[in-house]
Short mmCIF file of all heavy atoms in Angstrom, two decimals:
data_model
loop_
_atom_site.label_atom_id
_atom_site.label_comp_id
_atom_site.label_asym_id
_atom_site.label_seq_id
_atom_site.Cartn_x
_atom_site.Cartn_y
_atom_site.Cartn_z
N LEU T 99 -52.52 17.23 -22.29
CA LEU T 99 -53.22 17.28 -21.01
C LEU T 99 -53.91 15.95 -20.79
O LEU T 99 -54.65 15.48 -21.67
CB LEU T 99 -54.25 18.42 -21.08
CG LEU T 99 -54.78 18.97 -19.76
CD1 LEU T 99 -53.65 19.56 -18.94
CD2 LEU T 99 -55.84 20.04 -20.04
N LEU T 100 -53.64 15.31 -19.66
CA LEU T 100 -54.30 14.04 -19.36
C LEU T 100 -55.53 14.35 -18.52
O LEU T 100 -55.41 14.89 -17.42
CB LEU T 100 -53.33 13.12 -18.62
CG LEU T 100 -52.13 12.75 -19.50
CD1 LEU T 100 -51.05 12.07 -18.68
CD2 LEU T 100 -52.57 11.87 -20.66
N SER T 101 -56.70 14.04 -19.06
CA SER T 101 -57.93 14.36 -18.33
C SER T 101 -59.08 13.48 -18.80
O SER T 101 -59.06 12.98 -19.93
CB SER T 101 -58.29 15.84 -18.51
OG SER T 101 -59.28 15.99 -19.51
N PRO T 102 -60.10 13.29 -17.94
CA PRO T 102 -61.25 12.48 -18.34
C PRO T 102 -62.02 13.06 -19.53
O PRO T 102 -62.78 12.34 -20.17
CB PRO T 102 -62.14 12.48 -17.08
CG PRO T 102 -61.23 12.84 -15.95
CD PRO T 102 -60.21 13.75 -16.54
N GLN T 103 -61.79 14.33 -19.86
CA GLN T 103 -62.50 14.94 -21.00
C GLN T 103 -61.77 14.75 -22.33
O GLN T 103 -62.25 15.19 -23.37
CB GLN T 103 -62.69 16.43 -20.80
CG GLN T 103 -63.67 16.80 -19.72
CD GLN T 103 -62.94 17.13 -18.43
OE1 GLN T 103 -62.77 16.28 -17.57
NE2 GLN T 103 -62.49 18.34 -18.31
N GLY T 104 -60.59 14.13 -22.30
CA GLY T 104 -59.80 14.01 -23.52
C GLY T 104 -60.38 13.01 -24.50
O GLY T 104 -61.30 12.25 -24.19
N ARG T 105 -59.80 12.99 -25.72
CA ARG T 105 -60.16 11.93 -26.68
C ARG T 105 -59.63 10.62 -26.13
O ARG T 105 -58.60 10.58 -25.45
CB ARG T 105 -59.62 12.25 -28.07
CG ARG T 105 -58.11 12.35 -28.15
CD ARG T 105 -57.69 12.89 -29.51
NE ARG T 105 -56.23 13.08 -29.55
CZ ARG T 105 -55.45 12.56 -30.48
NH1 ARG T 105 -55.96 11.82 -31.45
NH2 ARG T 105 -54.15 12.79 -30.47
N ILE T 106 -60.35 9.53 -26.45
CA ILE T 106 -60.01 8.24 -25.86
C ILE T 106 -58.79 7.64 -26.55
O ILE T 106 -58.74 7.54 -27.78
CB ILE T 106 -61.20 7.25 -25.96
CG1 ILE T 106 -62.46 7.85 -25.32
CG2 ILE T 106 -60.83 5.90 -25.36
CD1 ILE T 106 -62.54 7.76 -23.83
N PHE T 107 -57.82 7.25 -25.74
CA PHE T 107 -56.59 6.65 -26.25
C PHE T 107 -56.87 5.27 -26.84
O PHE T 107 -57.58 4.47 -26.25
CB PHE T 107 -55.59 6.53 -25.10
CG PHE T 107 -54.23 6.05 -25.52
CD1 PHE T 107 -53.41 6.84 -26.30
CD2 PHE T 107 -53.78 4.80 -25.13
CE1 PHE T 107 -52.15 6.41 -26.69
CE2 PHE T 107 -52.52 4.36 -25.51
CZ PHE T 107 -51.71 5.16 -26.29
N ASP T 108 -56.30 5.00 -28.02
CA ASP T 108 -56.37 3.66 -28.62
C ASP T 108 -55.10 3.45 -29.46
O ASP T 108 -54.22 4.31 -29.48
CB ASP T 108 -57.65 3.45 -29.43
CG ASP T 108 -57.75 4.37 -30.65
OD1 ASP T 108 -56.74 5.04 -30.99
OD2 ASP T 108 -58.83 4.41 -31.26
N GLN T 109 -55.03 2.32 -30.16
CA GLN T 109 -53.82 2.00 -30.92
C GLN T 109 -53.55 3.03 -32.02
O GLN T 109 -52.39 3.29 -32.34
CB GLN T 109 -53.93 0.58 -31.50
CG GLN T 109 -52.64 -0.01 -32.02
CD GLN T 109 -51.60 -0.25 -30.92
OE1 GLN T 109 -51.94 -0.41 -29.75
NE2 GLN T 109 -50.34 -0.24 -31.29
N GLY T 110 -54.60 3.63 -32.55
CA GLY T 110 -54.44 4.67 -33.56
C GLY T 110 -53.77 5.92 -33.00
O GLY T 110 -52.88 6.51 -33.64
N VAL T 111 -54.17 6.31 -31.78
CA VAL T 111 -53.54 7.46 -31.13
C VAL T 111 -52.08 7.12 -30.78
O VAL T 111 -51.18 7.95 -30.94
CB VAL T 111 -54.32 7.89 -29.86
CG1 VAL T 111 -53.64 9.06 -29.17
CG2 VAL T 111 -55.76 8.26 -30.21
N ALA T 112 -51.84 5.88 -30.36
CA ALA T 112 -50.47 5.44 -30.06
C ALA T 112 -49.59 5.56 -31.30
O ALA T 112 -48.47 6.08 -31.24
CB ALA T 112 -50.47 3.99 -29.55
N ARG T 113 -50.11 5.11 -32.44
CA ARG T 113 -49.37 5.19 -33.70
C ARG T 113 -49.07 6.65 -34.05
O ARG T 113 -47.96 6.98 -34.46
CB ARG T 113 -50.20 4.53 -34.81
CG ARG T 113 -49.38 3.68 -35.77
CD ARG T 113 -50.28 2.88 -36.72
NE ARG T 113 -51.02 1.83 -36.03
CZ ARG T 113 -52.32 1.58 -36.22
NH1 ARG T 113 -53.04 2.30 -37.06
NH2 ARG T 113 -52.90 0.59 -35.57
N GLU T 114 -50.08 7.50 -33.88
CA GLU T 114 -49.91 8.93 -34.16
C GLU T 114 -48.79 9.53 -33.28
O GLU T 114 -47.90 10.22 -33.77
CB GLU T 114 -51.25 9.63 -33.89
CG GLU T 114 -51.27 11.13 -34.15
CD GLU T 114 -52.49 11.79 -33.51
OE1 GLU T 114 -53.61 11.24 -33.58
OE2 GLU T 114 -52.30 12.88 -32.93
N LEU T 115 -48.82 9.22 -31.99
CA LEU T 115 -47.80 9.77 -31.08
C LEU T 115 -46.41 9.22 -31.39
O LEU T 115 -45.40 9.91 -31.20
CB LEU T 115 -48.16 9.48 -29.62
CG LEU T 115 -49.30 10.32 -29.03
CD1 LEU T 115 -49.67 9.80 -27.64
CD2 LEU T 115 -48.93 11.80 -28.95
N SER T 116 -46.34 7.97 -31.86
CA SER T 116 -45.04 7.35 -32.13
C SER T 116 -44.31 8.06 -33.28
O SER T 116 -43.10 7.89 -33.44
CB SER T 116 -45.19 5.86 -32.44
OG SER T 116 -45.73 5.68 -33.74
N MET T 117 -45.05 8.84 -34.07
CA MET T 117 -44.43 9.55 -35.20
C MET T 117 -44.14 11.01 -34.86
O MET T 117 -43.72 11.78 -35.73
CB MET T 117 -45.35 9.45 -36.43
CG MET T 117 -45.47 8.00 -36.91
SD MET T 117 -46.46 7.78 -38.38
CE MET T 117 -48.08 8.17 -37.79
N GLU T 118 -44.34 11.39 -33.60
CA GLU T 118 -44.18 12.78 -33.18
C GLU T 118 -42.70 13.17 -33.15
O GLU T 118 -41.87 12.45 -32.63
CB GLU T 118 -44.81 12.97 -31.79
CG GLU T 118 -44.76 14.38 -31.27
CD GLU T 118 -45.41 15.39 -32.21
OE1 GLU T 118 -46.62 15.31 -32.43
OE2 GLU T 118 -44.68 16.26 -32.72
N GLU T 119 -42.39 14.33 -33.70
CA GLU T 119 -41.00 14.82 -33.72
C GLU T 119 -40.73 15.79 -32.59
O GLU T 119 -39.59 16.00 -32.19
CB GLU T 119 -40.71 15.52 -35.06
CG GLU T 119 -41.08 14.69 -36.28
CD GLU T 119 -39.88 14.31 -37.12
OE1 GLU T 119 -38.76 14.76 -36.79
OE2 GLU T 119 -40.05 13.54 -38.08
N ARG T 120 -41.81 16.42 -32.07
CA ARG T 120 -41.65 17.38 -30.97
C ARG T 120 -41.44 16.66 -29.64
O ARG T 120 -41.66 15.46 -29.55
CB ARG T 120 -42.91 18.27 -30.87
CG ARG T 120 -43.19 19.09 -32.11
CD ARG T 120 -44.57 19.72 -32.06
NE ARG T 120 -45.63 18.75 -32.31
CZ ARG T 120 -46.94 19.03 -32.35
NH1 ARG T 120 -47.36 20.28 -32.13
NH2 ARG T 120 -47.82 18.09 -32.60
N GLU T 121 -41.02 17.39 -28.61
CA GLU T 121 -40.98 16.85 -27.26
C GLU T 121 -42.43 16.59 -26.84
O GLU T 121 -43.29 17.48 -26.98
CB GLU T 121 -40.36 17.86 -26.28
CG GLU T 121 -38.94 18.29 -26.63
CD GLU T 121 -37.92 17.17 -26.44
OE1 GLU T 121 -37.84 16.63 -25.32
OE2 GLU T 121 -37.21 16.84 -27.41
N VAL T 122 -42.73 15.38 -26.35
CA VAL T 122 -44.09 15.08 -25.90
C VAL T 122 -44.15 15.25 -24.38
O VAL T 122 -43.47 14.54 -23.64
CB VAL T 122 -44.51 13.65 -26.31
CG1 VAL T 122 -45.89 13.32 -25.75
CG2 VAL T 122 -44.51 13.51 -27.83
N VAL T 123 -44.95 16.23 -23.96
CA VAL T 123 -45.00 16.61 -22.54
C VAL T 123 -46.37 16.23 -21.97
O VAL T 123 -47.40 16.73 -22.46
CB VAL T 123 -44.79 18.13 -22.38
CG1 VAL T 123 -44.85 18.52 -20.91
CG2 VAL T 123 -43.46 18.57 -23.02
N PHE T 124 -46.40 15.37 -20.96
CA PHE T 124 -47.66 15.00 -20.32
C PHE T 124 -47.86 15.83 -19.06
O PHE T 124 -47.02 15.81 -18.16
CB PHE T 124 -47.68 13.52 -19.96
CG PHE T 124 -47.66 12.60 -21.14
CD1 PHE T 124 -46.52 11.89 -21.48
CD2 PHE T 124 -48.79 12.46 -21.94
CE1 PHE T 124 -46.50 11.06 -22.58
CE2 PHE T 124 -48.78 11.63 -23.04
CZ PHE T 124 -47.63 10.92 -23.37
N PHE T 125 -48.96 16.56 -18.99
CA PHE T 125 -49.36 17.26 -17.77
C PHE T 125 -50.33 16.35 -17.01
O PHE T 125 -51.43 16.07 -17.48
CB PHE T 125 -50.07 18.58 -18.10
CG PHE T 125 -49.16 19.73 -18.43
CD1 PHE T 125 -47.76 19.58 -18.45
CD2 PHE T 125 -49.69 20.99 -18.71
CE1 PHE T 125 -46.93 20.66 -18.75
CE2 PHE T 125 -48.86 22.06 -19.02
CZ PHE T 125 -47.48 21.90 -19.05
N CYS T 126 -49.89 15.88 -15.83
CA CYS T 126 -50.74 15.02 -15.00
C CYS T 126 -51.49 15.86 -13.98
O CYS T 126 -50.87 16.56 -13.19
CB CYS T 126 -49.90 13.99 -14.26
SG CYS T 126 -48.88 12.98 -15.33
N GLY T 127 -52.80 15.75 -14.01
CA GLY T 127 -53.61 16.45 -13.01
C GLY T 127 -53.81 15.58 -11.78
O GLY T 127 -53.69 14.36 -11.83
N ARG T 128 -54.08 16.24 -10.68
CA ARG T 128 -54.53 15.60 -9.43
C ARG T 128 -55.70 16.44 -8.95
O ARG T 128 -56.03 17.44 -9.54
CB ARG T 128 -53.41 15.62 -8.38
CG ARG T 128 -52.37 14.56 -8.63
CD ARG T 128 -52.76 13.28 -7.92
NE ARG T 128 -52.33 12.09 -8.67
CZ ARG T 128 -52.57 10.85 -8.26
NH1 ARG T 128 -53.20 10.63 -7.12
NH2 ARG T 128 -52.18 9.84 -8.98
N TYR T 129 -56.31 16.08 -7.86
CA TYR T 129 -57.48 16.83 -7.34
C TYR T 129 -58.61 16.79 -8.37
O TYR T 129 -58.61 15.97 -9.28
CB TYR T 129 -57.12 18.27 -6.96
CG TYR T 129 -55.81 18.36 -6.20
CD1 TYR T 129 -54.71 19.00 -6.73
CD2 TYR T 129 -55.68 17.76 -4.94
CE1 TYR T 129 -53.52 19.07 -6.05
CE2 TYR T 129 -54.48 17.82 -4.25
CZ TYR T 129 -53.40 18.47 -4.81
OH TYR T 129 -52.22 18.53 -4.15
N GLU T 130 -59.54 17.71 -8.28
CA GLU T 130 -60.72 17.68 -9.15
C GLU T 130 -60.45 18.15 -10.57
O GLU T 130 -61.05 17.67 -11.53
CB GLU T 130 -61.86 18.52 -8.55
CG GLU T 130 -62.68 17.79 -7.52
CD GLU T 130 -63.24 16.45 -7.99
OE1 GLU T 130 -64.15 16.47 -8.83
OE2 GLU T 130 -62.73 15.41 -7.55
N ALA T 131 -59.53 19.11 -10.72
CA ALA T 131 -59.36 19.71 -12.05
C ALA T 131 -58.07 20.51 -12.14
O ALA T 131 -57.42 20.78 -11.13
CB ALA T 131 -60.55 20.61 -12.35
N ILE T 132 -57.73 20.90 -13.38
CA ILE T 132 -56.64 21.83 -13.64
C ILE T 132 -57.29 23.14 -14.11
O ILE T 132 -58.29 23.10 -14.84
CB ILE T 132 -55.70 21.29 -14.74
CG1 ILE T 132 -55.08 19.95 -14.31
CG2 ILE T 132 -54.61 22.30 -15.06
CD1 ILE T 132 -54.17 19.31 -15.36
N ASP T 133 -56.77 24.27 -13.69
CA ASP T 133 -57.29 25.57 -14.12
C ASP T 133 -57.45 25.60 -15.65
O ASP T 133 -56.53 25.22 -16.38
CB ASP T 133 -56.35 26.69 -13.65
CG ASP T 133 -56.92 28.08 -13.90
OD1 ASP T 133 -56.91 28.52 -15.07
OD2 ASP T 133 -57.38 28.72 -12.92
N GLU T 134 -58.61 26.03 -16.09
CA GLU T 134 -58.98 25.99 -17.52
C GLU T 134 -57.98 26.71 -18.42
O GLU T 134 -57.80 26.37 -19.59
CB GLU T 134 -60.38 26.60 -17.69
CG GLU T 134 -60.97 26.48 -19.08
CD GLU T 134 -61.22 25.04 -19.54
OE1 GLU T 134 -61.28 24.12 -18.69
OE2 GLU T 134 -61.32 24.83 -20.76
N ARG T 135 -57.29 27.73 -17.89
CA ARG T 135 -56.37 28.51 -18.72
C ARG T 135 -55.15 27.69 -19.16
O ARG T 135 -54.50 28.00 -20.17
CB ARG T 135 -55.97 29.79 -17.99
CG ARG T 135 -57.18 30.74 -17.92
CD ARG T 135 -57.06 31.80 -16.87
NE ARG T 135 -57.14 31.26 -15.51
CZ ARG T 135 -57.27 32.02 -14.42
NH1 ARG T 135 -57.32 33.34 -14.52
NH2 ARG T 135 -57.33 31.45 -13.22
N VAL T 136 -54.86 26.61 -18.43
CA VAL T 136 -53.78 25.70 -18.85
C VAL T 136 -54.20 24.99 -20.13
O VAL T 136 -53.44 24.89 -21.09
CB VAL T 136 -53.46 24.68 -17.73
CG1 VAL T 136 -52.48 23.63 -18.21
CG2 VAL T 136 -52.92 25.41 -16.50
N ARG T 137 -55.45 24.53 -20.15
CA ARG T 137 -55.98 23.87 -21.35
C ARG T 137 -55.99 24.84 -22.54
O ARG T 137 -55.50 24.53 -23.62
CB ARG T 137 -57.39 23.36 -21.07
CG ARG T 137 -58.10 22.78 -22.29
CD ARG T 137 -59.49 22.24 -21.96
NE ARG T 137 -59.43 21.04 -21.15
CZ ARG T 137 -59.77 20.95 -19.87
NH1 ARG T 137 -60.20 22.01 -19.23
NH2 ARG T 137 -59.68 19.82 -19.23
N GLU T 138 -56.54 26.04 -22.31
CA GLU T 138 -56.70 27.02 -23.39
C GLU T 138 -55.37 27.48 -23.97
O GLU T 138 -55.22 27.61 -25.18
CB GLU T 138 -57.45 28.25 -22.87
CG GLU T 138 -58.93 28.01 -22.65
CD GLU T 138 -59.61 29.15 -21.89
OE1 GLU T 138 -58.90 30.12 -21.49
OE2 GLU T 138 -60.82 29.06 -21.70
N GLU T 139 -54.39 27.76 -23.11
CA GLU T 139 -53.16 28.42 -23.55
C GLU T 139 -52.00 27.47 -23.83
O GLU T 139 -51.13 27.76 -24.63
CB GLU T 139 -52.71 29.44 -22.50
CG GLU T 139 -53.48 30.74 -22.55
CD GLU T 139 -53.29 31.48 -23.87
OE1 GLU T 139 -52.14 31.69 -24.29
OE2 GLU T 139 -54.33 31.81 -24.48
N LEU T 140 -51.95 26.35 -23.12
CA LEU T 140 -50.77 25.49 -23.22
C LEU T 140 -51.00 24.16 -23.92
O LEU T 140 -50.10 23.66 -24.59
CB LEU T 140 -50.19 25.22 -21.81
CG LEU T 140 -49.64 26.42 -21.03
CD1 LEU T 140 -49.17 25.98 -19.64
CD2 LEU T 140 -48.50 27.09 -21.79
N ALA T 141 -52.20 23.60 -23.75
CA ALA T 141 -52.42 22.23 -24.24
C ALA T 141 -52.55 22.18 -25.75
O ALA T 141 -53.26 22.97 -26.36
CB ALA T 141 -53.65 21.62 -23.58
N ASP T 142 -51.83 21.23 -26.37
CA ASP T 142 -51.95 20.97 -27.80
C ASP T 142 -52.85 19.77 -28.05
O ASP T 142 -53.27 19.52 -29.18
CB ASP T 142 -50.56 20.68 -28.39
CG ASP T 142 -49.61 21.84 -28.17
OD1 ASP T 142 -49.83 22.90 -28.77
OD2 ASP T 142 -48.66 21.70 -27.36
N ASP T 143 -53.10 19.00 -27.01
CA ASP T 143 -53.81 17.74 -27.15
C ASP T 143 -54.38 17.41 -25.77
O ASP T 143 -53.82 17.84 -24.75
CB ASP T 143 -52.81 16.66 -27.60
CG ASP T 143 -53.48 15.43 -28.18
OD1 ASP T 143 -54.72 15.33 -28.14
OD2 ASP T 143 -52.74 14.55 -28.67
N GLU T 144 -55.48 16.66 -25.74
CA GLU T 144 -56.06 16.24 -24.46
C GLU T 144 -56.51 14.80 -24.60
O GLU T 144 -57.28 14.47 -25.51
CB GLU T 144 -57.23 17.15 -24.11
CG GLU T 144 -57.75 16.94 -22.70
CD GLU T 144 -58.79 17.99 -22.29
OE1 GLU T 144 -59.22 18.80 -23.14
OE2 GLU T 144 -59.18 17.97 -21.11
N ILE T 145 -56.00 13.93 -23.72
CA ILE T 145 -56.24 12.49 -23.86
C ILE T 145 -56.75 11.89 -22.56
O ILE T 145 -56.29 12.23 -21.47
CB ILE T 145 -54.94 11.76 -24.31
CG1 ILE T 145 -54.48 12.28 -25.68
CG2 ILE T 145 -55.14 10.25 -24.37
CD1 ILE T 145 -53.18 11.66 -26.20
#
Side-chain angles (χ1 to χ4, degrees):
L99 199 61
L100 296 169
S101 99
Q103 290 98 266
R105 62 189 175 126
I106 305 280
F107 186 69
D108 64 10
Q109 194 65 24
V111 178
R113 221 171 291 135
E114 181 195 318
L115 286 173
S116 74
M117 295 182 291
E118 182 56 64
E119 309 245 355
R120 298 169 285 182
E121 301 291 304
V122 176
V123 180
F124 294 107
F125 279 1
C126 304
R128 282 271 147 181
Y129 317 114
E130 276 307 288
I132 300 178
D133 188 284
E134 187 64 19
R135 290 161 291 191
V136 173
R137 174 178 291 109
E138 286 169 357
E139 281 297 309
L140 296 178
D142 301 293
D143 198 353
E144 189 172 7
I145 299 178

